[in-house]
Amino acid sequence: MSRIAILPLLLVFSTIARATDVQYCEENAEYEVKVKEVNISPNPIARGEPATFTISATTGRGITGGKLVIEVTYFGWHIHSETHDLCSETTCPVETGDFLVAHSQVLPGYTPPGSYSLQMKMLDSQKKELTCIKFSIDIGSVPSVADM
């Protein structure tokens, strides 16, 4: 296959899933869970279509359960909160070492396009904060089939 034919394929795949920049909520905090990477697929997210967030992380201790708490802001305004059982987003118990947390959902077709900020806290079963990260997501402006 020529380089010219490969380039369009690479461009297509780079928009399907792409690692996003992640920051810890507190710069100098010593979190028990270290986040390596967050992948969002597709990126940008299409309104009315499934989107998957995959978080690659590592822990120095086993985790038997807990919660994921997600806060969403748009132009600095808090617009949404949700809480998920950690064991529904990954396999529990989480063993010491590397693990993945994956969450999928469909955003409503009426979701305004633009850049949103997400903050995700991972809490153990005693509500101790294991990690807190923040990152941005982009919602595409192309209308989905549900909008038509």
Tab-separated table of all heavy atoms in Angstrom, residues 80-138:
chain	number	residue	atom	x	y	z
A	80	HIS	N	-23.809	18.814	35.132
A	80	HIS	CA	-24.202	17.415	35.283
A	80	HIS	C	-23.307	16.713	36.290
A	80	HIS	O	-22.109	16.983	36.357
A	80	HIS	CB	-24.099	16.703	33.927
A	80	HIS	CG	-24.554	15.288	33.935
A	80	HIS	ND1	-25.881	14.923	34.047
A	80	HIS	CD2	-23.858	14.130	33.868
A	80	HIS	CE1	-25.977	13.605	34.028
A	80	HIS	NE2	-24.760	13.094	33.930
A	81	SER	N	-23.901	15.807	37.066
A	81	SER	CA	-23.165	14.935	37.988
A	81	SER	C	-23.707	13.534	37.840
A	81	SER	O	-24.904	13.348	37.593
A	81	SER	CB	-23.384	15.357	39.440
A	81	SER	OG	-22.871	16.624	39.688
A	82	GLU	N	-22.845	12.561	37.998
A	82	GLU	CA	-23.304	11.175	38.012
A	82	GLU	C	-22.336	10.350	38.850
A	82	GLU	O	-21.149	10.675	38.944
A	82	GLU	CB	-23.463	10.596	36.613
A	82	GLU	CG	-22.260	10.683	35.732
A	82	GLU	CD	-22.559	10.288	34.291
A	82	GLU	OE1	-23.454	10.891	33.666
A	82	GLU	OE2	-21.892	9.359	33.805
A	83	THR	N	-22.867	9.294	39.437
A	83	THR	CA	-22.066	8.390	40.254
A	83	THR	C	-22.298	6.978	39.746
A	83	THR	O	-23.430	6.585	39.478
A	83	THR	CB	-22.471	8.497	41.745
A	83	THR	OG1	-22.265	9.853	42.166
A	83	THR	CG2	-21.635	7.582	42.610
A	84	HIS	N	-21.198	6.232	39.607
A	84	HIS	CA	-21.265	4.861	39.119
A	84	HIS	C	-20.547	3.938	40.090
A	84	HIS	O	-19.547	4.323	40.693
A	84	HIS	CB	-20.593	4.736	37.737
A	84	HIS	CG	-21.223	5.597	36.703
A	84	HIS	ND1	-22.322	5.201	35.982
A	84	HIS	CD2	-20.925	6.840	36.285
A	84	HIS	CE1	-22.666	6.171	35.156
A	84	HIS	NE2	-21.834	7.176	35.320
A	85	ASP	N	-21.045	2.722	40.216
A	85	ASP	CA	-20.370	1.705	41.001
A	85	ASP	C	-19.081	1.327	40.277
A	85	ASP	O	-19.105	1.010	39.077
A	85	ASP	CB	-21.282	0.490	41.166
A	85	ASP	CG	-20.617	-0.600	41.963
A	85	ASP	OD1	-20.388	-0.382	43.178
A	85	ASP	OD2	-20.319	-1.653	41.378
A	86	LEU	N	-17.958	1.386	40.976
A	86	LEU	CA	-16.663	1.073	40.371
A	86	LEU	C	-16.656	-0.325	39.759
A	86	LEU	O	-16.128	-0.528	38.659
A	86	LEU	CB	-15.547	1.207	41.411
A	86	LEU	CG	-14.135	0.876	40.930
A	86	LEU	CD1	-13.697	1.827	39.824
A	86	LEU	CD2	-13.158	0.912	42.097
A	87	CYS	N	-17.279	-1.265	40.431
A	87	CYS	CA	-17.255	-2.662	39.953
A	87	CYS	C	-18.111	-2.883	38.712
A	87	CYS	O	-17.988	-3.918	38.060
A	87	CYS	CB	-17.665	-3.598	41.086
A	87	CYS	SG	-16.479	-3.570	42.451
A	88	SER	N	-18.958	-1.920	38.348
A	88	SER	CA	-19.692	-2.030	37.087
A	88	SER	C	-18.882	-1.434	35.930
A	88	SER	O	-19.234	-1.617	34.769
A	88	SER	CB	-21.060	-1.358	37.189
A	88	SER	OG	-20.917	0.043	37.308
A	89	GLU	N	-17.779	-0.746	36.247
A	89	GLU	CA	-16.946	-0.112	35.233
A	89	GLU	C	-15.599	-0.817	35.059
A	89	GLU	O	-14.848	-0.509	34.140
A	89	GLU	CB	-16.701	1.353	35.597
A	89	GLU	CG	-17.954	2.158	35.914
A	89	GLU	CD	-18.900	2.323	34.738
A	89	GLU	OE1	-18.436	2.465	33.599
A	89	GLU	OE2	-20.123	2.307	34.962
A	90	THR	N	-15.263	-1.737	35.967
A	90	THR	CA	-14.044	-2.532	35.900
A	90	THR	C	-14.294	-3.846	36.627
A	90	THR	O	-15.342	-4.015	37.256
A	90	THR	CB	-12.828	-1.786	36.502
A	90	THR	OG1	-11.639	-2.474	36.157
A	90	THR	CG2	-12.940	-1.633	38.004
A	91	THR	N	-13.360	-4.762	36.544
A	91	THR	CA	-13.497	-6.045	37.229
A	91	THR	C	-13.017	-5.907	38.668
A	91	THR	O	-11.901	-5.437	38.908
A	91	THR	CB	-12.662	-7.122	36.509
A	91	THR	OG1	-13.098	-7.188	35.155
A	91	THR	CG2	-12.835	-8.474	37.161
A	92	CYS	N	-13.881	-6.280	39.609
A	92	CYS	CA	-13.517	-6.238	41.034
A	92	CYS	C	-13.339	-7.649	41.557
A	92	CYS	O	-14.028	-8.556	41.096
A	92	CYS	CB	-14.596	-5.524	41.839
A	92	CYS	SG	-14.562	-3.734	41.627
A	93	PRO	N	-12.463	-7.865	42.506
A	93	PRO	CA	-11.607	-6.824	43.080
A	93	PRO	C	-10.520	-6.426	42.097
A	93	PRO	O	-10.062	-7.228	41.287
A	93	PRO	CB	-11.006	-7.500	44.316
A	93	PRO	CG	-11.016	-8.961	43.987
A	93	PRO	CD	-12.219	-9.179	43.109
A	94	VAL	N	-10.104	-5.146	42.181
A	94	VAL	CA	-8.995	-4.652	41.370
A	94	VAL	C	-7.717	-5.114	42.053
A	94	VAL	O	-7.499	-4.846	43.229
A	94	VAL	CB	-9.029	-3.110	41.263
A	94	VAL	CG1	-7.802	-2.591	40.525
A	94	VAL	CG2	-10.313	-2.638	40.587
A	95	GLU	N	-6.898	-5.850	41.308
A	95	GLU	CA	-5.634	-6.354	41.851
A	95	GLU	C	-4.574	-5.264	41.806
A	95	GLU	O	-4.681	-4.305	41.031
A	95	GLU	CB	-5.172	-7.568	41.035
A	95	GLU	CG	-6.156	-8.719	41.014
A	95	GLU	CD	-6.354	-9.385	42.373
A	95	GLU	OE1	-5.397	-9.397	43.169
A	95	GLU	OE2	-7.464	-9.882	42.627
A	96	THR	N	-3.538	-5.423	42.620
A	96	THR	CA	-2.399	-4.514	42.596
A	96	THR	C	-1.788	-4.518	41.198
A	96	THR	O	-1.642	-5.565	40.581
A	96	THR	CB	-1.334	-4.958	43.627
A	96	THR	OG1	-1.940	-4.963	44.918
A	96	THR	CG2	-0.131	-4.040	43.632
A	97	GLY	N	-1.477	-3.329	40.678
A	97	GLY	CA	-0.884	-3.203	39.350
A	97	GLY	C	-1.777	-2.434	38.399
A	97	GLY	O	-2.603	-1.619	38.821
A	98	ASP	N	-1.631	-2.731	37.120
A	98	ASP	CA	-2.364	-2.013	36.067
A	98	ASP	C	-3.793	-2.530	35.949
A	98	ASP	O	-4.048	-3.716	36.113
A	98	ASP	CB	-1.668	-2.189	34.717
A	98	ASP	CG	-0.289	-1.548	34.681
A	98	ASP	OD1	0.001	-0.707	35.549
A	98	ASP	OD2	0.493	-1.890	33.777
A	99	PHE	N	-4.707	-1.599	35.654
A	99	PHE	CA	-6.099	-1.967	35.397
A	99	PHE	C	-6.746	-0.929	34.495
A	99	PHE	O	-6.204	0.163	34.296
A	99	PHE	CB	-6.885	-2.156	36.701
A	99	PHE	CG	-7.110	-0.894	37.496
A	99	PHE	CD1	-8.343	-0.245	37.467
A	99	PHE	CD2	-6.107	-0.353	38.296
A	99	PHE	CE1	-8.561	0.905	38.201
A	99	PHE	CE2	-6.321	0.795	39.044
A	99	PHE	CZ	-7.549	1.431	38.995
A	100	LEU	N	-7.910	-1.286	33.938
A	100	LEU	CA	-8.673	-0.390	33.072
A	100	LEU	C	-10.045	-0.137	33.676
A	100	LEU	O	-10.667	-1.048	34.231
A	100	LEU	CB	-8.870	-0.998	31.683
A	100	LEU	CG	-7.641	-1.181	30.804
A	100	LEU	CD1	-8.038	-1.901	29.520
A	100	LEU	CD2	-6.994	0.156	30.494
A	101	VAL	N	-10.503	1.083	33.530
A	101	VAL	CA	-11.876	1.455	33.861
A	101	VAL	C	-12.491	1.936	32.559
A	101	VAL	O	-11.922	2.796	31.886
A	101	VAL	CB	-11.920	2.588	34.919
A	101	VAL	CG1	-13.342	3.042	35.163
A	101	VAL	CG2	-11.255	2.146	36.216
A	102	ALA	N	-13.639	1.368	32.181
A	102	ALA	CA	-14.289	1.759	30.924
A	102	ALA	C	-15.733	2.127	31.195
A	102	ALA	O	-16.454	1.408	31.886
A	102	ALA	CB	-14.204	0.632	29.911
A	103	HIS	N	-16.136	3.266	30.661
A	103	HIS	CA	-17.510	3.737	30.820
A	103	HIS	C	-18.032	4.168	29.459
A	103	HIS	O	-17.367	4.910	28.739
A	103	HIS	CB	-17.561	4.913	31.803
A	103	HIS	CG	-18.920	5.510	31.921
A	103	HIS	ND1	-19.943	4.863	32.582
A	103	HIS	CD2	-19.428	6.666	31.448
A	103	HIS	CE1	-21.033	5.613	32.510
A	103	HIS	NE2	-20.748	6.710	31.832
A	104	SER	N	-19.216	3.683	29.110
A	104	SER	CA	-19.847	4.072	27.845
A	104	SER	C	-21.200	4.694	28.121
A	104	SER	O	-21.898	4.285	29.045
A	104	SER	CB	-20.043	2.848	26.941
A	104	SER	OG	-18.811	2.318	26.563
A	105	GLN	N	-21.534	5.676	27.312
A	105	GLN	CA	-22.875	6.260	27.387
A	105	GLN	C	-23.179	7.021	26.112
A	105	GLN	O	-22.274	7.345	25.343
A	105	GLN	CB	-23.048	7.133	28.615
A	105	GLN	CG	-22.424	8.496	28.609
A	105	GLN	CD	-22.675	9.194	29.929
A	105	GLN	OE1	-22.071	8.850	30.924
A	105	GLN	NE2	-23.562	10.158	29.947
A	106	VAL	N	-24.460	7.279	25.914
A	106	VAL	CA	-24.922	8.027	24.755
A	106	VAL	C	-25.326	9.413	25.232
A	106	VAL	O	-26.134	9.548	26.158
A	106	VAL	CB	-26.127	7.320	24.084
A	106	VAL	CG1	-26.672	8.159	22.942
A	106	VAL	CG2	-25.722	5.939	23.598
A	107	LEU	N	-24.746	10.440	24.623
A	107	LEU	CA	-25.136	11.805	24.955
A	107	LEU	C	-26.392	12.167	24.177
A	107	LEU	O	-26.528	11.800	23.012
A	107	LEU	CB	-24.013	12.777	24.608
A	107	LEU	CG	-22.716	12.568	25.370
A	107	LEU	CD1	-21.665	13.560	24.893
A	107	LEU	CD2	-22.912	12.713	26.860
A	108	PRO	N	-27.316	12.880	24.804
A	108	PRO	CA	-28.555	13.254	24.098
A	108	PRO	C	-28.262	14.037	22.821
A	108	PRO	O	-27.270	14.779	22.751
A	108	PRO	CB	-29.294	14.135	25.114
A	108	PRO	CG	-28.681	13.815	26.443
A	108	PRO	CD	-27.267	13.400	26.166
A	109	GLY	N	-29.123	13.877	21.841
A	109	GLY	CA	-28.974	14.575	20.569
A	109	GLY	C	-29.016	16.083	20.699
A	109	GLY	O	-28.489	16.800	19.860
A	110	TYR	N	-29.619	16.593	21.777
A	110	TYR	CA	-29.720	18.041	21.966
A	110	TYR	C	-28.509	18.624	22.705
A	110	TYR	O	-28.460	19.821	22.980
A	110	TYR	CB	-31.008	18.396	22.724
A	110	TYR	CG	-31.129	17.738	24.077
A	110	TYR	CD1	-30.471	18.239	25.190
A	110	TYR	CD2	-31.908	16.592	24.232
A	110	TYR	CE1	-30.572	17.613	26.426
A	110	TYR	CE2	-32.011	15.966	25.462
A	110	TYR	CZ	-31.352	16.488	26.555
A	110	TYR	OH	-31.452	15.868	27.776
A	111	THR	N	-27.498	17.818	23.013
A	111	THR	CA	-26.305	18.305	23.701
A	111	THR	C	-25.615	19.360	22.836
A	111	THR	O	-25.293	19.091	21.682
A	111	THR	CB	-25.323	17.152	23.977
A	111	THR	OG1	-25.995	16.140	24.717
A	111	THR	CG2	-24.112	17.633	24.746
A	112	PRO	N	-25.381	20.558	23.376
A	112	PRO	CA	-24.703	21.588	22.573
A	112	PRO	C	-23.280	21.181	22.222
A	112	PRO	O	-22.576	20.606	23.050
A	112	PRO	CB	-24.682	22.811	23.492
A	112	PRO	CG	-25.720	22.557	24.526
A	112	PRO	CD	-25.784	21.065	24.688
A	113	PRO	N	-22.839	21.465	20.992
A	113	PRO	CA	-21.459	21.163	20.632
A	113	PRO	C	-20.507	22.082	21.394
A	113	PRO	O	-20.892	23.157	21.846
A	113	PRO	CB	-21.415	21.439	19.130
A	113	PRO	CG	-22.523	22.401	18.882
A	113	PRO	CD	-23.581	22.091	19.910
A	114	GLY	N	-19.273	21.632	21.553
A	114	GLY	CA	-18.270	22.468	22.205
A	114	GLY	C	-17.367	21.651	23.098
A	114	GLY	O	-17.384	20.421	23.091
A	115	SER	N	-16.596	22.371	23.900
A	115	SER	CA	-15.639	21.752	24.807
A	115	SER	C	-16.206	21.732	26.224
A	115	SER	O	-16.674	22.752	26.723
A	115	SER	CB	-14.323	22.531	24.768
A	115	SER	OG	-13.362	21.884	25.558
A	116	TYR	N	-16.164	20.579	26.849
A	116	TYR	CA	-16.662	20.376	28.210
A	116	TYR	C	-15.505	19.956	29.097
A	116	TYR	O	-14.559	19.319	28.628
A	116	TYR	CB	-17.723	19.268	28.234
A	116	TYR	CG	-19.004	19.626	27.532
A	116	TYR	CD1	-19.076	19.671	26.148
A	116	TYR	CD2	-20.157	19.912	28.261
A	116	TYR	CE1	-20.257	19.990	25.500
A	116	TYR	CE2	-21.345	20.230	27.618
A	116	TYR	CZ	-21.383	20.271	26.236
A	116	TYR	OH	-22.547	20.594	25.605
A	117	SER	N	-15.578	20.285	30.377
A	117	SER	CA	-14.575	19.838	31.347
A	117	SER	C	-15.186	18.766	32.226
A	117	SER	O	-16.311	18.923	32.704
A	117	SER	CB	-14.116	21.006	32.221
A	117	SER	OG	-13.474	21.975	31.441
A	118	LEU	N	-14.446	17.689	32.417
A	118	LEU	CA	-14.894	16.603	33.289
A	118	LEU	C	-13.917	16.454	34.442
A	118	LEU	O	-12.707	16.580	34.257
A	118	LEU	CB	-14.932	15.271	32.543
A	118	LEU	CG	-16.236	14.919	31.832
A	118	LEU	CD1	-16.412	15.755	30.607
A	118	LEU	CD2	-16.253	13.465	31.509
A	119	GLN	N	-14.466	16.189	35.610
A	119	GLN	CA	-13.664	15.817	36.765
A	119	GLN	C	-14.162	14.465	37.226
A	119	GLN	O	-15.368	14.263	37.365
A	119	GLN	CB	-13.815	16.827	37.894
A	119	GLN	CG	-13.061	16.410	39.149
A	119	GLN	CD	-13.180	17.430	40.258
A	119	GLN	OE1	-12.557	18.461	40.200
A	119	GLN	NE2	-14.009	17.133	41.242
A	120	MET	N	-13.244	13.516	37.403
A	120	MET	CA	-13.618	12.182	37.846
A	120	MET	C	-12.856	11.833	39.112
A	120	MET	O	-11.635	11.904	39.138
A	120	MET	CB	-13.325	11.136	36.785
A	120	MET	CG	-13.866	9.769	37.166
A	120	MET	SD	-12.876	8.386	36.583
A	120	MET	CE	-11.404	8.537	37.528
A	121	LYS	N	-13.603	11.488	40.154
A	121	LYS	CA	-13.004	11.013	41.397
A	121	LYS	C	-13.281	9.525	41.529
A	121	LYS	O	-14.386	9.076	41.242
A	121	LYS	CB	-13.607	11.717	42.613
A	121	LYS	CG	-13.259	13.174	42.714
A	121	LYS	CD	-13.861	13.779	43.962
A	121	LYS	CE	-13.523	15.251	44.046
A	121	LYS	NZ	-14.083	15.861	45.262
A	122	MET	N	-12.270	8.791	41.955
A	122	MET	CA	-12.441	7.378	42.270
A	122	MET	C	-12.341	7.253	43.782
A	122	MET	O	-11.351	7.681	44.383
A	122	MET	CB	-11.372	6.526	41.592
A	122	MET	CG	-11.565	5.038	41.811
A	122	MET	SD	-10.245	4.050	41.048
A	122	MET	CE	-10.488	4.433	39.322
A	123	LEU	N	-13.400	6.696	44.389
A	123	LEU	CA	-13.463	6.515	45.833
A	123	LEU	C	-13.480	5.031	46.144
A	123	LEU	O	-14.103	4.252	45.417
A	123	LEU	CB	-14.723	7.167	46.397
A	123	LEU	CG	-14.997	8.623	45.987
A	123	LEU	CD1	-16.374	9.055	46.466
A	123	LEU	CD2	-13.920	9.538	46.526
A	124	ASP	N	-12.841	4.637	47.253
A	124	ASP	CA	-12.916	3.231	47.653
A	124	ASP	C	-14.214	2.996	48.427
A	124	ASP	O	-15.031	3.908	48.587
A	124	ASP	CB	-11.666	2.782	48.415
A	124	ASP	CG	-11.506	3.393	49.804
A	124	ASP	OD1	-12.446	4.034	50.317
A	124	ASP	OD2	-10.408	3.221	50.383
A	125	SER	N	-14.425	1.784	48.903
A	125	SER	CA	-15.692	1.449	49.573
A	125	SER	C	-15.872	2.182	50.906
A	125	SER	O	-16.981	2.266	51.415
A	125	SER	CB	-15.808	-0.067	49.764
A	125	SER	OG	-14.676	-0.560	50.424
A	126	GLN	N	-14.784	2.758	51.452
A	126	GLN	CA	-14.888	3.570	52.673
A	126	GLN	C	-14.953	5.061	52.334
A	126	GLN	O	-14.774	5.907	53.198
A	126	GLN	CB	-13.688	3.306	53.601
A	126	GLN	CG	-13.769	2.010	54.380
A	126	GLN	CD	-13.482	0.799	53.493
A	126	GLN	OE1	-12.543	0.792	52.720
A	126	GLN	NE2	-14.316	-0.212	53.602
A	127	LYS	N	-15.177	5.385	51.052
A	127	LYS	CA	-15.296	6.746	50.533
A	127	LYS	C	-13.990	7.541	50.592
A	127	LYS	O	-13.992	8.762	50.558
A	127	LYS	CB	-16.428	7.513	51.225
A	127	LYS	CG	-17.780	6.871	51.008
A	127	LYS	CD	-18.892	7.655	51.642
A	127	LYS	CE	-20.199	6.914	51.428
A	127	LYS	NZ	-21.300	7.543	52.100
A	128	LYS	N	-12.860	6.842	50.683
A	128	LYS	CA	-11.552	7.495	50.628
A	128	LYS	C	-11.227	7.776	49.165
A	128	LYS	O	-11.359	6.891	48.313
A	128	LYS	CB	-10.469	6.612	51.242
A	128	LYS	CG	-9.104	7.253	51.185
A	128	LYS	CD	-8.015	6.354	51.736
A	128	LYS	CE	-6.684	7.074	51.588
A	128	LYS	NZ	-5.574	6.158	51.609
A	129	GLU	N	-10.784	8.999	48.872
A	129	GLU	CA	-10.445	9.378	47.505
A	129	GLU	C	-9.166	8.672	47.076
A	129	GLU	O	-8.111	8.868	47.680
A	129	GLU	CB	-10.289	10.895	47.417
A	129	GLU	CG	-10.149	11.406	46.009
A	129	GLU	CD	-10.158	12.916	45.946
A	129	GLU	OE1	-11.261	13.498	45.971
A	129	GLU	OE2	-9.063	13.499	45.898
A	130	LEU	N	-9.263	7.862	46.022
A	130	LEU	CA	-8.111	7.136	45.490
A	130	LEU	C	-7.395	7.925	44.400
A	130	LEU	O	-6.190	7.834	44.244
A	130	LEU	CB	-8.546	5.776	44.946
A	130	LEU	CG	-9.188	4.837	45.967
A	130	LEU	CD1	-9.722	3.598	45.272
A	130	LEU	CD2	-8.187	4.483	47.058
A	131	THR	N	-8.169	8.663	43.618
A	131	THR	CA	-7.608	9.547	42.599
A	131	THR	C	-8.658	10.574	42.220
A	131	THR	O	-9.859	10.394	42.463
A	131	THR	CB	-7.116	8.777	41.349
A	131	THR	OG1	-6.212	9.607	40.618
A	131	THR	CG2	-8.247	8.339	40.443
A	132	CYS	N	-8.200	11.657	41.626
A	132	CYS	CA	-9.080	12.694	41.094
A	132	CYS	C	-8.380	13.276	39.880
A	132	CYS	O	-7.241	13.755	39.982
A	132	CYS	CB	-9.340	13.773	42.147
A	132	CYS	SG	-10.429	15.104	41.555
A	133	ILE	N	-9.036	13.188	38.731
A	133	ILE	CA	-8.461	13.704	37.490
A	133	ILE	C	-9.441	14.658	36.832
A	133	ILE	O	-10.649	14.626	37.106
A	133	ILE	CB	-8.084	12.580	36.500
A	133	ILE	CG1	-9.315	11.729	36.132
A	133	ILE	CG2	-6.945	11.741	37.055
A	133	ILE	CD1	-9.075	10.718	35.026
A	134	LYS	N	-8.904	15.495	35.970
A	134	LYS	CA	-9.753	16.369	35.158
A	134	LYS	C	-9.214	16.387	33.743
A	134	LYS	O	-8.001	16.271	33.518
A	134	LYS	CB	-9.855	17.764	35.762
A	134	LYS	CG	-8.571	18.423	36.105
A	134	LYS	CD	-8.801	19.722	36.873
A	134	LYS	CE	-7.454	20.326	37.262
A	134	LYS	NZ	-7.605	21.585	37.973
A	135	PHE	N	-10.146	16.472	32.804
A	135	PHE	CA	-9.784	16.491	31.394
A	135	PHE	C	-10.933	17.097	30.612
A	135	PHE	O	-12.028	17.290	31.132
A	135	PHE	CB	-9.435	15.090	30.879
A	135	PHE	CG	-10.500	14.054	31.067
A	135	PHE	CD1	-11.417	13.775	30.061
A	135	PHE	CD2	-10.587	13.337	32.254
A	135	PHE	CE1	-12.393	12.810	30.227
A	135	PHE	CE2	-11.555	12.363	32.437
A	135	PHE	CZ	-12.469	12.100	31.420
A	136	SER	N	-10.671	17.421	29.366
A	136	SER	CA	-11.682	18.028	28.498
A	136	SER	C	-12.172	17.016	27.480
A	136	SER	O	-11.436	16.117	27.075
A	136	SER	CB	-11.095	19.228	27.751
A	136	SER	OG	-10.758	20.242	28.649
A	137	ILE	N	-13.427	17.179	27.084
A	137	ILE	CA	-13.977	16.399	25.974
A	137	ILE	C	-14.576	17.370	24.970
A	137	ILE	O	-14.985	18.475	25.326
A	137	ILE	CB	-15.050	15.375	26.428
A	137	ILE	CG1	-16.269	16.084	27.058
A	137	ILE	CG2	-14.466	14.350	27.367
A	137	ILE	CD1	-17.458	15.174	27.233
A	138	ASP	N	-14.595	16.960	23.733
A	138	ASP	CA	-15.188	17.761	22.685
A	138	ASP	C	-16.418	17.042	22.133
A	138	ASP	O	-16.361	15.863	21.829
A	138	ASP	CB	-14.195	18.002	21.545
A	138	ASP	CG	-13.050	18.897	21.985
A	138	ASP	OD1	-13.317	19.903	22.678
A	138	ASP	OD2	-11.902	18.589	21.648
